[in-house]
Amino acid sequence: NDVLMRLTKPTLFTNMPVTCEDRDLPGDLFSRLMKEDPSTIKGAEALMLGEMLTLPQNFGNIFLGETFSSYISVHNDSSQVVKDILVKADLQTSSQRLNLSASNNAVTELKPESCVDDVIHHEVKEIGTHILVCAVSYTTQAGEKLYFRKFFKFQVLKPLDVKTKFYNAETDEVFLEAQIQNITTSSMFMEKVSLEPSMMYSVAELNTVETEDEGTSTFGKMSYLQPMDTRQYLYCLKPKPEFAEKAGIIKGVTVIGKLDIVWKTNLGERGRLQTSQLQRMAPGYGDVRLSLEMIPDTVNLEEPFDITCKITNCSERTMDLVLEMCNTCSIHWCGVSGRQLGKVSPSASLALPLKLLSSVQGLQSISGLRLTDTFLKRTYEYDDVAQVCVVCPYMSRES
């Protein structure tokens, strides 16, 4: 006889307290009965949660990322001794068949009313239908070799819904927003949600608020995720120094990294999921990319200020560049327009300090830059390169 039981954590026993006022017909009957109930908490009999634990009454739900544990027992119901008992447990998924048996050695003999026990563990990594195949072979006293199998089918469900969005900064930084939703019917304690970057990037988590003593989570002290609730996690990725020079010329699909999510459910039942490698389509910068390396947050009206631009040759040919600075209705460039920047090799870049001023208050766009490649006579115009806040120093003094 082959018996299979799933090993799971128990749950806290719950009561259904019934109370009434002393002047009602039952009087203190309900109160006395609850005090005599061994499952209630002494001094808090009206609380639904009790002191006892309840063993699972059914197979329950199995979620992706959890560890499936099962107890297998082969019992000799006959009156004869059997020999060479071999118990084998395989798990059949939609893509593979896994051997979960702790030992492949046969038991020499099994006496009547005795049993052979085994406990198997498997971290579930696929969703969908799973079939646990338990096969038992043995030899009778007459030397006859017998064999039988039992099948146990169960479904593996998806515990979390993960969505990701990428945002490209004006520099080479990439911001990743991960939306994680609990789609189970029970609460989750989110133990860890981290991003493991690829070899090209370093990552900074933006999910804490820095205080004087230590960082505090943006989700508060209790990191619980209720059923159907969603949380948003934010990460900033920067190219490592050895890849920083080439960050501006990366084209096509690039690998960012993968999310590592660890949670706990009922009485510490642990689960873990790792996403596949997250990919993003690198933004197209054309033949020449112009980005800002340094710009002040706030500047004074009609006072010159400095910025530093970075020009990167994203093409596969050498360029001979000329810079033109064209004034707009609010932005006025200081310096000589039409100056030669010289030759820039493929994948190379150069830093360019510039000076300008604004004649209009408020949030102003840095525009009016134009690059010309004298080799091919091609012109590249750059508008809305960045924005700067322009304030009037006289108005702030008067206020």
Side-chain angles (χ1 to χ4, degrees):
N1 186 20
D2 190 5
V3 178
L4 173 72
M5 291 186 294
R6 184 189 173 194
L7 299 178
T8 57
K9 296 288 181 69
T11 57
L12 289 171
F13 182 79
T14 56
N15 297 288
M16 187 60 68
V18 179
T19 60
C20 66
E21 295 183 2
D22 294 339
R23 63 184 179 180
D24 292 337
L25 183 61
D28 63 345
L29 175 62
F30 294 148
S31 177
R32 285 188 288 106
L33 290 175
M34 286 192 295
K35 289 181 179 179
E36 295 172 1
D37 189 343
S39 65
T40 58
I41 300 176
K42 303 306 176 184
E45 289 81 9
L47 189 65
M48 289 188 63
L49 287 178
E51 292 183 323
M52 293 187 175
L53 298 176
T54 303
L55 294 176
Q57 303 299 309
N58 50 46
F59 201 78
N61 293 325
I62 301 177
F63 294 101
L64 184 70
E66 293 182 343
T67 299
F68 168 68
S69 300
S70 182
Y71 167 69
I72 301 174
S73 179
V74 179
H75 187 265
N76 185 1
D77 293 338
S78 69
S79 58
Q80 299 179 358
V81 177
V82 294
K83 299 179 179 180
D84 301 329
I85 304 95
L86 181 61
V87 182
K88 185 179 180 182
D90 291 341
L91 185 63
Q92 178 69 55
T93 70
S94 58
S95 63
Q96 58 184 334
R97 190 183 182 101
L98 303 168
N99 180 20
L100 305 183
S101 299
S103 174
N104 293 321
N105 298 325
V107 178
T108 306
E109 66 176 21
L110 186 62
K111 297 179 180 180
E113 301 302 325
S114 299
C115 58
V116 177
D117 301 325
D118 192 11
V119 177
I120 58 175
H121 304 280
H122 174 66
E123 185 179 347
V124 182
K125 298 181 180 179
E126 296 182 43
I127 60 174
T129 303
H130 287 58
I131 302 174
L132 183 61
V133 183
C134 296
V136 180
S137 62
Y138 60 96
T139 304
T140 64
Q141 284 185 333
E144 183 182 5
K145 292 185 177 181
L146 299 179
Y147 172 84
F148 69 90
R149 291 190 301 175
K150 284 192 176 182
F151 301 88
F152 303 90
K153 182 186 291 188
F154 59 91
Q155 294 288 332
V156 175
L157 307 176
K158 185 180 176 183
L160 299 170
D161 185 30
V162 181
K163 297 178 181 178
T164 57
K165 295 180 182 178
F166 289 106
Y167 303 93
N168 298 310
E170 294 177 355
T171 58
D172 294 324
E173 296 176 343
V174 180
F175 290 90
L176 169 65
E177 178 192 350
Q179 299 180 359
I180 301 177
Q181 183 182 25
N182 177 10
I183 56 177
T184 69
T185 57
S186 59
S187 301
M188 287 184 176
F189 173 77
M190 305 305 292
E191 184 175 296
K192 183 181 75 168
V193 180
S194 62
L195 177 64
E196 298 179 359
S198 64
M199 60 179 296
M200 291 179 55
Y201 294 93
S202 60
V203 64
E205 295 192 11
L206 305 178
N207 305 307
T208 56
V209 178
E210 296 298 330
T211 59
E212 294 181 0
D213 298 332
E214 58 183 7
T216 304
S217 172
T218 55
F219 308 110
K221 295 181 179 180
M222 305 301 291
S223 187
Y224 285 100
L225 190 60
Q226 301 298 332
M228 304 311 297
D229 279 1
T230 301
R231 278 186 180 175
Q232 286 138 326
Y233 295 84
L234 187 62
Y235 304 91
C236 176
L237 296 109
K238 297 181 180 180
K240 291 182 179 178
E242 57 267 31
F243 297 99
E245 291 300 321
K246 298 182 179 180
I249 58 170
I250 295 175
K251 300 178 181 179
V253 178
T254 57
V255 175
I256 296 297
K258 56 185 178 181
L259 288 169
D260 187 14
I261 308 170
V262 181
W263 70 92
K264 288 182 179 178
T265 53
N266 178 43
L267 291 181
E269 196 83 36
R270 193 170 183 266
R272 181 184 181 185
L273 277 182
Q274 280 192 330
T275 64
S276 56
Q277 290 288 350
L278 303 176
Q279 297 179 334
R280 71 156 187 144
M281 180 63 70
Y285 298 112
D287 291 341
V288 185
R289 179 189 179 189
L290 188 145
S291 59
L292 281 184
E293 293 291 289
M294 188 277 295
I295 182 173
D297 296 328
T298 305
V299 298
N300 291 331
L301 180 68
E302 297 180 348
E303 289 186 11
F305 61 94
D306 296 316
I307 64 173
T308 302
C309 296
K310 181 181 178 181
I311 299 174
T312 305
N313 183 357
C314 300
S315 69
E316 298 178 354
R317 54 185 173 80
T318 300
M319 293 183 172
D320 186 23
L321 297 178
V322 175
L323 174 67
E324 296 179 77
M325 301 180 294
C326 306
N327 294 334
T328 65
C329 59
S330 59
I331 296 297
H332 304 273
W333 296 93
C334 305
V336 179
S337 179
R339 62 171 165 160
Q340 295 279 344
L341 300 181
K343 296 180 180 180
V344 183
S345 304
S347 304
S349 60
L350 58 90
L352 186 65
L354 297 174
K355 188 181 292 290
L356 66 158
L357 60 86
S358 175
S359 59
V360 180
Q361 295 183 70
L363 194 64
Q364 303 300 325
S365 296
I366 306 297
S367 303
L369 292 176
R370 183 185 302 162
L371 290 172
T372 302
D373 180 12
T374 59
F375 286 158
L376 296 182
K377 307 299 181 183
R378 289 183 181 176
T379 300
Y380 308 92
E381 295 186 358
Y382 301 91
D383 293 321
D384 296 328
V385 177
Q387 292 183 326
V388 64
C389 181
V390 183
V391 298
C392 179
Y394 308 106
M395 292 182 60
S396 60
R397 290 172 186 172
E398 292 175 359
S399 60

